[in-house]
């Protein structure tokens, strides 16, 4: 999945081909996480076949349910697998400055995948 | 409806709901109150309305987020795991209140008697965990999810316990020969955020 429009319970997904930036931004507490995250996982798994040598991942969640965390972990693990094969990967994890739990989730994902994350503490709008 | 007298069932659920409401004091404010059948659209509405009320009340952002996370997990637990009656009806409730000590969340599931023992065993096992133990279990499930439970990851109860600093209690009441009412009481205490 290259693009998806944001909804109340699903994030916006966008791939910027000029900058090789894949961003997932918004709430993620949909009922069927597998249906949403499987195409994202497939996009990552097929990324090598595009011939691109860089992937910039920008992740900025607001509300995120536990099922989304599980599927997101599977996506990040796939990213780390292609990074091991030589793809240059940069991960930016943005979170509300007051939301320590989202920061901790980013740290967990970084630890599980062994990918270094850059953390951006942002003052989200009300 | 085979094996279920719906009126008796309804009265039992309403009695549980009324008991909680009757025990509220003058200092308790009801923030969110829903009774009936839940679905994802209703959850989105609940989150939107509750978030609006929390902003209006100038609640701290970290408490707002924590409360909304817990409500999401409670309602999705109802949607995914509550057993419908044989006529596909569902009668469960969510009640969120606030007082000087913090927030209280009451959520119920109707479950088949055949599932009660396994659920209680699972919850009792989780209740023995401290905060670090719950965090370890969460991470373990992220690393190696079991996808045999409808893709839900099985993290709901762990997340609720963890985000409430283990201020988590449950009761199981028999509604009929076939069904029980699984009732959660979760507290988010202001003192835990200082």
């Amino acid at each position: 999945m290259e693009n998806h429009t944001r909804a109340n319970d699903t994030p916006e997904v966008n791939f910027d081909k000029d900058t090789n930036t894949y961003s997932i931004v918004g709430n993620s507490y949909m009922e069927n996480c597998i249906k949403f995250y499987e195409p994202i996982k497939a996009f990552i798994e097929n990324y090598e076949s595009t011939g691109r040598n860089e992937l910039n991942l920008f992740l900025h969640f607001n509300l995120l349910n536990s099922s989304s965390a599980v599927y997101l972990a599977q996506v990040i693990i796939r990213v780390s697998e292609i990074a091991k094969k030589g793809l240059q990967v940069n991960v930016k994890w943005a979170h509300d400055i007051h939301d320590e739990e989202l920061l901790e989730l980013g740290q967990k994902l970084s630890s599980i995948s062994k990918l270094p994350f850059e953390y951006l503490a942002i003052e989200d709008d009300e | 409806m085979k094996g279920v007298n719906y009126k008796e069932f309804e009265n039992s659920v309403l009695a549980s709901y009324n008991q909680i409401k009757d025990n509220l004091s003058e200092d308790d404010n009801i923030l969110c109150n829903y009774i009936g059948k839940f679905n994802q659209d209703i959850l989105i509405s609940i989150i939107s309305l509750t978030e609006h009320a929390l902003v209006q009340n100038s609640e701290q952002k970290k408490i707002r987020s924590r409360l909304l996370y817990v409500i999401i997990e409670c309602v999705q637990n109802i949607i995914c795991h509550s057993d419908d009656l044989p006529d596909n009806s569902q009668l469960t409730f969510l009640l969120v209140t606030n007082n000087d000590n913090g927030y209280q969340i009451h959520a119920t599931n109707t479950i088949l008697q055949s599932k009660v023992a396994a659920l209680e065993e699972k919850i009792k096992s989780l209740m023995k965990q401290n905060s670090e133990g719950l965090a370890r279990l969460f991470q373990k499930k992220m690393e190696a999810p079991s996808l045999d439970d409808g893709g839900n990851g099985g993290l709901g109860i762990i997340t609720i316990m963890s985000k409430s600093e283990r201020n988590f209690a449950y009761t199981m009441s028999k509604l009929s020969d076939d069904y029980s009412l699984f009732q959660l009481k979760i507290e988010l205490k202001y003192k835990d955020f200082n």
Side-chain angles (χ1 to χ4, degrees):
Chain A
M1 173 161 57
E2 280 192 25
N3 296 291
H4 185 276
T5 311
R6 187 173 184 158
N8 287 318
D9 59 348
T10 52
E12 178 183 349
V13 178
N14 183 59
F15 180 57
D16 184 333
K17 291 175 177 156
D18 295 334
T19 61
N20 295 324
T21 301
Y22 192 58
S23 55
I24 309 177
V25 177
N27 288 333
S28 182
Y29 63 91
M30 65 292 287
E31 187 175 1
N32 192 339
C33 290
I34 191 165
K35 193 177 164 190
F36 187 83
Y37 280 98
E38 276 300 320
I40 292 177
K41 202 165 86 178
F43 174 82
I44 298 295
E45 285 168 344
N46 294 328
Y47 194 78
E48 280 178 295
S49 65
T50 64
R52 297 170 189 275
N53 57 8
E54 178 194 50
L55 173 63
N56 300 304
L57 209 51
F58 179 76
L59 305 168
H60 181 189
F61 293 99
N62 298 321
L63 292 170
L64 186 112
N65 66 358
S66 56
S67 301
S68 292
V70 168
Y71 287 105
L72 190 58
Q74 301 313 299
V75 169
I76 301 292
I77 287 168
R78 295 297 181 283
V79 173
S80 75
E81 285 168 358
I82 55 173
K84 278 180 200 160
K85 293 179 186 171
L87 184 81
Q88 189 187 328
V89 171
N90 301 294
V91 185
K92 286 185 178 163
W93 180 267
H95 64 94
D96 183 274
I97 196 164
H98 304 285
D99 197 332
E100 290 168 12
E101 284 149 273
L102 269 180
L103 170 63
E104 284 169 16
L105 178 63
Q107 290 166 337
K108 274 193 184 114
L109 291 168
S110 174
S111 161
I112 289 168
S113 63
K114 300 190 171 51
L115 280 174
F117 281 23
E118 182 183 343
Y119 299 100
L120 308 171
I122 292 170
E123 183 86 43
D124 279 340
D125 295 335
E126 291 292 343
Chain B
M1 205 187 311
K2 194 183 171 187
V4 180
N5 179 327
Y6 185 77
K7 197 66 197 168
E8 275 181 32
F9 174 89
E10 184 182 59
N11 287 340
S12 300
V13 175
L14 289 174
S16 299
Y17 173 76
N18 288 328
Q19 190 180 15
I20 295 168
K21 285 189 79 175
D22 290 346
N23 286 335
L24 296 179
S25 73
E26 285 183 2
D27 298 330
D28 293 314
N29 302 304
I30 294 177
L31 194 72
C32 169
N33 185 14
Y34 182 85
I35 184 162
K37 184 161 185 156
F38 286 84
N39 59 37
Q40 183 69 10
D41 288 337
I42 286 167
L43 171 61
I44 290 169
S45 300
I46 287 172
I47 292 301
S48 173
L49 292 168
T50 308
E51 191 168 22
H52 181 73
L54 292 167
V55 171
Q56 291 291 310
N57 293 346
S58 304
E59 187 54 272
Q60 288 180 62
K61 242 175 169 180
K62 60 183 174 184
I63 299 178
R64 269 162 40 195
S65 298
R66 188 80 72 93
L67 179 63
L68 295 173
Y69 285 136
V70 171
I71 292 174
I72 288 170
E73 297 298 338
C74 283
V75 173
Q76 290 191 324
N77 189 46
I78 293 171
I79 295 169
C80 294
H81 299 297
S82 197
D83 288 311
D84 286 353
L85 294 172
D87 67 348
N88 293 324
S89 66
Q90 187 191 71
L91 186 63
T92 53
F93 63 83
L94 175 80
L95 179 65
V96 183
T97 61
N98 171 237
N99 58 29
D100 290 344
N101 296 320
Y103 291 88
Q104 299 77 42
I105 302 109
H106 299 268
T108 58
N109 278 15
T110 45
I111 67 163
L112 288 165
Q113 294 290 5
S114 56
K115 297 179 182 174
V116 167
L119 178 62
E120 285 202 275
E121 189 182 340
K122 185 177 175 183
I123 289 177
K124 282 175 183 165
S125 159
L126 290 174
M127 287 174 87
K128 288 178 190 163
Q129 299 285 337
N130 59 20
S131 301
E132 292 75 24
L134 289 172
R136 272 197 301 276
L137 276 174
F138 188 95
Q139 181 149 340
K140 203 171 159 188
K141 283 192 173 278
M142 279 171 72
E143 288 170 2
S146 55
L147 303 178
D148 56 352
D149 53 358
N152 194 39
L155 283 170
I157 295 288
I158 295 174
T159 303
I160 291 168
M161 285 183 180
S162 183
K163 292 199 184 296
S164 62
E165 308 286 344
R166 297 165 65 245
N167 291 305
F168 170 100
Y170 81 95
T171 56
M172 194 73 80
S173 326
K174 191 174 176 183
L175 292 172
S176 72
D177 288 343
D178 299 321
Y179 291 91
S180 273
L181 188 69
F182 172 55
Q183 199 165 319
L184 287 176
K185 184 185 178 189
I186 302 133
E187 290 183 81
L188 299 186
K189 296 181 178 176
Y190 286 131
K191 69 179 178 63
D192 293 329
F193 289 87
N194 294 330

